[in-house]
Amino acid sequence: MERVDIAVVGAGVVGLAAAARLARPDRSVVVLESHARHGVETSSRNSEVIHAGLYYPPGSLKSLLCHEGRRRLYALAGEAGIFVRKTGKLVVAADPSEEPALERLRRGAEAAGAEGLRLLDGAETRRLVPGLRAAAALWSPETGILDSEELMRHLLGKATDAGAIFLFGSPLTAVERRPEGWVLTFGPSGERLCAPVVVNAAGLHSDRVAELAGIGIDEASYRLHWCKGCYFRCRRPIPLPHLVYPVPEAHGLGVHLTPDREGRVRLGPDSAFVHSLDYDVDPALRASFHAAASRYWPGLAPEDLDPDTAGIRPKLSGPEGGFRDFVIAEESARGLPGWINLIGIESPGLTAALAIAERVAALAC
Ligand SMILES: Cc1cc2nc3c(=O)[nH]c(=O)nc-3n(C[C@H](O)[C@H](O)[C@H](O)COP(=O)(O)OP(=O)(O)OC[C@H]3O[C@@H](n4cnc5c(N)ncnc54)[C@H](O)[C@@H]3O)c2cc1C
């Protein structure tokens, strides 16, 4: 049986960032990935927004790692030629009744360290994005967009150059704890490897992978709830220089307008708890997307919208639950030394990936 220093389960953006951070000539890293390539699940099914940390409680991992990850991401993109654009974003109160919620958002975001925020009145908002229906807006200059595939390809290349081995088509199916380390069984023919350190970066399946290691996921509060977010795409080009969001709702940030690098505008995501990995977007949702967006973007017609992609959030809280933070934990306290769980890495996981990798390195080495 092959022995390696570190095994990473999952080649989404978080597993890739961890492998890129950990691999080096004197430290062997193997990445197990179920799919035939990297980033097929949540990491390629999201808004591709670099978040500025407006929404997370001060001091939470989501807040701290969003800020650190964003700074690292902008710096890396500059060095490595990964597409990013600091577009800035407007969170819009469509009518005066939403202004107290906007003011609460501003206070919370400033307390959590968000930089450069400004409250704008309706006229100032429309100077930035003509045509918006806005009583007021919160301006966040640090928000941006990125090409997540370019980021993932860079991390894959960096990890591979440093010697990491990627085993695609290799789902982890069993885990056994032995004195010499973790024995992982994977792939269709039940191959095995042994590693003293395992990083569980299995995204939507990270609770099941933790269970394979012997963790009672209900007892540990690690059970994930899947929450689907669908997108529609605007058929006609809209010149949108900044991201436009409504005031946030319970399980997501609300149906927002996001331009991509080609200038096409996507609307979404909405949120609905689901039990299966079904990424279809029902065209019948067009009416609710139109209603949500036209509250602050009245120029939109329903026939402007085509169904686009969907993604699924790995949430630690269910429909009635409140805020839950990322789980980033080395599990010695449960008698499982060397097992590192990354669970509930929902938004802002893409923004935070490089900072999560630093935490993992501190736990692993
Ligand atoms: C609708 C939506 C919008 C979002 N928007 C944003 C945004 O704008 N900005 C932002 O910062 N974040 C956003 N996010 C969050 C972000 O996309 C995720 O936090 C991030 O992609 C998580 O990456 P990951 O590597 O943990 O998971 P994943 O990308 O899901 O990767 C996990 C990998 O593990 C593999 N795997 C699972 N089980 C096994 C197994 N047993 N054996 C081997 N491999 C396994 C899977 O195949 C998968 O490739 C959004 C998420 C959603 C759903």
Side-chain angles (χ1 to χ4, degrees), residues 15-289:
L16 290 165
R21 173 64 181 78
L22 293 167
R24 55 184 212 201
D26 61 341
R27 189 193 286 143
S28 53
V29 173
V30 164
V31 182
L32 302 178
E33 167 54 53
S34 299
H35 292 284
R37 74 185 298 277
H38 66 271
V40 172
E41 295 198 353
T42 312
S43 296
S44 56
R45 298 178 159 278
N46 57 65
S47 302
E48 298 189 298
V49 171
I50 302 173
H51 284 298
L54 307 190
Y55 303 101
Y56 320 110
S60 62
L61 286 174
K62 283 183 177 171
S63 173
L64 297 172
L65 300 181
C66 180
H67 288 304
E68 184 190 331
R70 183 185 68 255
R71 290 185 198 111
R72 287 182 181 275
L73 194 48
Y74 280 132
L76 174 68
E79 288 158 21
I82 297 163
F83 171 83
V84 294
R85 188 183 295 147
K86 212 184 259 193
T87 54
K89 126 172 167 180
L90 290 164
V91 184
V92 172
D95 62 52
S97 68
E98 292 176 348
E99 287 185 57
L102 199 65
E103 174 54 24
R104 276 197 300 279
L105 180 64
R106 183 188 67 80
R107 278 203 305 272
E110 280 181 347
E115 293 154 28
L117 300 181
R118 258 191 339 122
L119 273 177
L120 309 179
D121 64 24
E124 288 172 308
T125 307
R126 278 185 295 281
R127 267 200 293 281
L128 288 178
V129 179
L132 280 182
R133 177 167 170 258
L138 183 62
W139 169 244
S140 161
E142 287 298 315
T143 306
I145 54 173
L146 84 156
D147 185 323
S148 55
E149 177 55 27
E150 277 188 11
L151 171 63
M152 288 193 282
R153 271 207 305 270
H154 170 81
L155 295 171
L156 177 69
K158 187 170 178 222
T160 309
D161 288 350
I165 308 277
F166 284 79
L167 300 177
F168 292 108
S170 299
L172 175 74
T173 52
V175 176
E176 188 191 333
R177 174 82 199 150
R178 291 203 189 152
E180 63 272 27
W182 296 97
V183 176
L184 307 182
T185 304
F186 60 93
S189 48
E191 288 162 78
R192 296 194 305 166
L193 63 77
C194 181
V197 174
V198 178
V199 180
N200 168 13
L204 290 162
H205 315 277
S206 52
D207 55 347
R208 302 292 163 187
V209 167
E211 204 166 37
L212 291 179
I215 294 177
I217 56 175
D218 288 317
E219 194 187 319
S221 277
Y222 284 174
R223 185 176 293 281
L224 288 173
H225 306 266
W226 292 349
C227 183
K228 182 172 175 178
C230 295
Y231 293 89
F232 277 69
R233 190 173 284 282
C234 275
R235 194 173 294 171
R236 65 184 165 91
I238 300 177
L240 189 68
H242 312 297
L243 306 177
V244 180
Y245 283 56
V247 289
E249 46 185 47
H251 297 297
L253 303 183
V255 168
H256 43 269
L257 304 181
T258 313
D260 66 14
R261 63 184 296 181
E262 274 89 35
R264 291 167 306 187
V265 172
R266 286 206 299 163
L267 278 78
D270 64 353
S271 57
F273 283 87
V274 295
H275 296 288
S276 65
L277 293 189
D278 164 12
Y279 294 110
D280 287 346
V281 177
D282 183 352
L285 291 171
R286 179 181 282 110
S288 63
F289 271 73

